[in-house]
Amino acid sequence: MDVDPVGTADAVDWDALRAAAREAVGKAYAPYSDFKVGAAAFADDGRLLTGANIENAAYGVTLCAECSLVSALVMSGGGRFTAFTCVNALGETIMPCGRCRQILWEHGGPELLVDTPLGIQPMTEVLPQAFGPGDLDHVRKATR
Ligand code: THU
């Protein structure tokens, strides 16, 4: 593993991040599943961003909390996620769904630290052998 998850994780204010995610749960729009999710992340410039799930009567187009979190990142100036957490309505840490792991990879990459029920893990453990921008670059360069 190229990252030092333990050393870097110690520098993160996880309590502040979890508190922000718990507050964000209250903003969720989840009338169909009644399963509210709040997400929070630090960006590489120290910004604290939050998101919540936004459901839709056409269930399949529901936006996970991570989607509004990424929107917040991009619309407030961009950058990279460095530390991430998401919680349920009980305030418990939950894992991001499979699709959202891919979304987090795009905006945080392998070094992104994720708060999991098993402790802090880098994205390389949360989404092993991830497909990412490097795969596109590889073929683009080879065929240019
Ligand atoms: N959900 C999220 O917001 N993020 C996840 O990573 C897991 C699932 C939401 C989607 C849906 O609104 C509700 O949880 C139930 O699946």
Side-chain angles (χ1 to χ4, degrees), residues 33 35 37 53 55 62-66 95-97 100:
S33 72
F35 187 86
V37 179
N53 53 334
E55 297 189 342
T62 282
L63 302 177
C64 280
E66 292 84 343
M95 289 302 285
C97 75
C100 289

Side-chain angles (χ1 to χ4, degrees), residues 79-141:
R80 306 282 288 167
F81 289 139
T82 56
F84 166 86
T85 190
C86 63
V87 301
N88 62 21
L90 301 177
E92 297 164 339
T93 302
I94 59 170
M95 289 302 285
C97 75
R99 178 174 177 270
C100 289
R101 293 180 199 201
Q102 185 70 36
I103 287 170
L104 290 170
W105 183 277
E106 183 75 21
H107 298 278
E111 292 89 8
L112 173 60
L113 296 174
V114 179
D115 189 23
T116 86
L118 296 179
I120 307 304
Q121 295 184 343
M123 275 304 291
T124 45
E125 284 179 36
V126 173
L127 188 64
Q129 299 193 64
F131 177 85
D135 292 281
L136 302 183
D137 292 342
H138 172 63
V139 171
R140 196 176 290 129
K141 278 182 194 137

Side-chain angles (χ1 to χ4, degrees), residues 57-79:
Y59 295 173
V61 298
T62 282
L63 302 177
C64 280
E66 292 84 343
C67 296
S68 55
L69 179 72
V70 167
S71 298
L73 175 77
V74 172
M75 295 308 291
S76 65

